[in-house]
Amino acid sequence: MTAVLKARDVSVTLGAGPTRKAVLTDASLALRRGEVTAIIGPNGAGKSTLLACLAGLRAPDHGAVTLGDVPLERVSARERGQRIGFLPQVAEVNWDIDVATLVSLGRLPHQGRWEQSAADLAAMADALAATDTAQFASRVVGTLSGGERARALLARVLAGQPEFLLADEPLANLDPRHQFDVLALMRQVATRGVGVVLVLHDLAHAMRVADRVVMMDSGRIAADGDPAAVLTPDRIAAVYGVASHPVTLADGAPGLVLSGPC
Amino acid sequence: MKAQRLPLLIPALLVALVLVSGLSILAGKVWIAPAELFAGDDRWPIIVELRLPRVVLALLIGGGLGMAGAAMQGYLRNPLADPGLFGVSATAALGAVISIFFGLAATPMVLSGFALAGAALAVLLLSAIAGQSGSVIVFTLAGVVISSLAGALTALVISLAPTPFATGQIVNWLMGALTDRSWDDVMLAAPLIVLGMIVIASAGRALDALTLGEAAARTLGMRPAVLQAQIVIGVGLVVGASVAASGIIGFVGLIVPHLIRPLTNRRPSAVLLPSALAGALLLLVADSAVRAAPTVSELRLGIAMSLLGAPFFLALLLNMRRQIG
């Protein structure tokens, strides 16, 4: 339970010559299991790139990502797949597979070459139950509504029983109710000891759901810590150019209202 | 959550294969009744030396092409992909055509050797062009370029053929057939096709991961460069050896995975083995039909497959259009 996913001085540059652009500069952070971390920042701030580095999808040009003190590039692809789950921003699902088959794909890093073990089947059933998707397990993914689809895709990642779950904008294209549902699910997942990392655009959600907020600006980590300490009106104004007001919600939780450009 | 939607799919295909193989051995221009088979009949050589190698080759080539097609469709995530797409069959055919051009094809196994060399060249070129990137697009474009170049060179060789007889021989060979194949052809093709199929089967898990797109697949442990090598080598071996033994036989690799996919849970790995069995079955049926048909000269298998395949493909397209519309 002590394994930590860490980025140390991670830098990424894209392009070459005059179009060369630093998309990530000296980003350092340590992610712990059982915690919900929200990565926020304006478009182009480097959120997705940072997430791709943490998922092992992109090797940083400088710096290192380590999983429990082992550099990520030295962890085998299979072990990385077992320990880090990744939910891409645009989920692609080919071949008209049904939800049960989709979820079974989440077991690929664990599975033997031919057969699914009892542990595989148990993890799949568990993931279907946790996301409340068992009732449409036999439906083709393409026929699901947006909310159902989001839960099915999440079930796929959970079936892999990862130590860390990295989700790139999991709330995109969801209506408010489904956004809350997915966030509640993410919280539940963290309670089971998974380190949850969410790239979010909605600052109010970040304020409400995250244990910790990492705010990015122009490829750098501008602030990292407790949501209320990071999401101050001054910082939001400086990074986003938007006026904001912290509020206290009916249940006593901290909230945030944005009132317009400033 | 069984691997197969129809759990009896594989057993049913196996039973059909055994039945059709038996029938194919007995049937032909000369019908041999099962009762006469073991009576020391003087038609025994027809079975052992003519029909049996032909049946074995049809099973191997059909099975290999069916599986290679399923793997290609899974790899490119495109139901229209075909084993010939990477240019391996075109370069293998070019190799064979060159051997006929130089009049070397009369020597046993020279044509096959040239065809295999052509296939190997395509695999090496593909690897060199696509490199270690594992990029599917670069790879596919490289295949298309190699394919059209080999096609142009084949046309050049035909146009330069020294005699009308050589031209006829080349064109006839290109149409694909299993006529007059011997055990030597089986011995050459069998190990290569079987090895290729094993390599393809070992890529099953990575192909499954690719169902979720390249990025998600990589986070599930799929290594693009490894998968690409498995596909190039596996498909290269199967297609190269098939073309060397029979010429170009189209449509099997395209149609069979389509037929099989709805009968499975549609995971690419679940389509591989049934596609191999169904491919073997389809090619054996087609070859037995052209062999037993009461025509003066035998209809070429490649032509028969296309005659069968084109209407099927049209029906498939119309069905797809109805689903979309």
Side-chain angles (χ1 to χ4, degrees), chain A residues 10-25:
Chain A
V10 167
S11 300
V12 172
T13 42
L14 292 182
T19 60
R20 197 175 151 84
K21 184 175 179 292
V23 286
L24 206 56
T25 311

Side-chain angles (χ1 to χ4, degrees), chain A residues 5 22 25 32 71 79 82 101 108 111 117 119 132 141 153 170 173 175 182 184 188 198 218 232 257:
Chain A
L5 184 59
T25 311
R32 284 171 289 274
E79 188 191 337
Q82 290 172 357
T101 306
L108 283 172
Q111 204 183 306
S117 67
D132 198 20
V141 177
L153 290 166
N173 302 320
D175 64 43
V182 167
Q188 233 180 67
L198 311 171
S218 315
T232 59
V257 175

Side-chain angles (χ1 to χ4, degrees), chain A residues 51 85-89 150 153-154 156-157 165-168 170 186:
Chain A
L51 205 68
F86 179 74
L87 204 53
Q89 186 175 353
L153 290 166
L154 185 59
R156 189 277 290 172
V157 186
L165 191 166
L166 313 179
D168 198 354
M186 292 292 186

Side-chain angles (χ1 to χ4, degrees), chain B residues 262-321:
Chain B
L263 306 176
T264 70
N265 62 12
R266 298 171 194 262
R267 265 171 88 136
S269 68
V271 182
L272 291 178
L273 181 59
S275 289
L277 298 176
L281 188 63
L282 178 63
L283 203 62
L284 184 59
V285 168
D287 188 52
S288 306
V290 297
R291 182 158 55 83
T295 48
V296 179
S297 67
E298 197 177 295
L299 180 64
R300 306 291 290 180
L301 179 59
I303 299 175
M305 279 311 300
S306 296
L307 286 177
L308 190 73
F312 174 85
F313 200 62
L314 205 61
L316 194 84
L317 282 177
L318 291 175
N319 189 37
M320 267 166 77
R321 196 182 64 179

Side-chain angles (χ1 to χ4, degrees), chain B residues 84-116:
Chain B
L85 204 63
F86 289 168
V88 177
S89 57
T91 51
L94 176 63
V97 165
I98 288 174
S99 78
I100 300 174
F101 178 84
F102 287 111
L104 304 168
T107 320
M109 295 300 110
V110 167
L111 181 143
S112 304
F114 267 70
L116 288 176

Side-chain angles (χ1 to χ4, degrees), chain B residues 172-252:
Chain B
N172 206 29
W173 183 85
L174 279 175
M175 289 170 188
L178 287 172
T179 320
D180 302 330
R181 296 306 191 268
S182 68
W183 284 111
D184 288 342
D185 295 292
V186 176
M187 290 307 158
L188 183 79
L192 299 174
I193 292 179
V194 170
L195 184 65
M197 288 171 80
I198 293 172
V199 173
I200 291 173
S202 71
R205 211 165 40 192
L207 290 174
D208 281 349
L210 217 45
T211 299
L212 299 175
E214 215 164 322
R218 284 171 59 200
T219 63
L220 284 169
M222 187 275 291
R223 288 168 292 169
V226 173
L227 175 60
Q228 190 172 81
Q230 284 172 319
I231 294 293
V232 176
I233 293 169
V235 173
L237 282 168
V238 167
V239 174
S242 297
V243 173
S246 70
I248 293 177
I249 294 174
F251 275 110
V252 180

Side-chain angles (χ1 to χ4, degrees), chain A residues 140-210:
Chain A
V140 172
V141 177
T143 66
L144 301 178
S145 74
E148 291 168 338
R149 184 183 158 89
R151 271 148 60 202
L153 290 166
L154 185 59
R156 189 277 290 172
V157 186
L158 292 183
Q161 297 172 321
E163 295 169 24
F164 291 93
L165 191 166
L166 313 179
D168 198 354
E169 296 193 31
L171 306 184
N173 302 320
L174 290 181
D175 64 43
R177 175 60 202 265
H178 284 112
Q179 294 188 10
F180 281 113
D181 288 349
V182 167
L183 288 174
L185 259 173
M186 292 292 186
R187 166 54 65 193
Q188 233 180 67
V189 170
T191 318
R192 298 159 136 210
V194 178
V196 176
V197 183
L198 311 171
V199 169
L200 294 179
H201 269 304
D202 189 316
L203 303 182
H205 277 320
M207 182 73 127
R208 208 181 51 82
V209 78

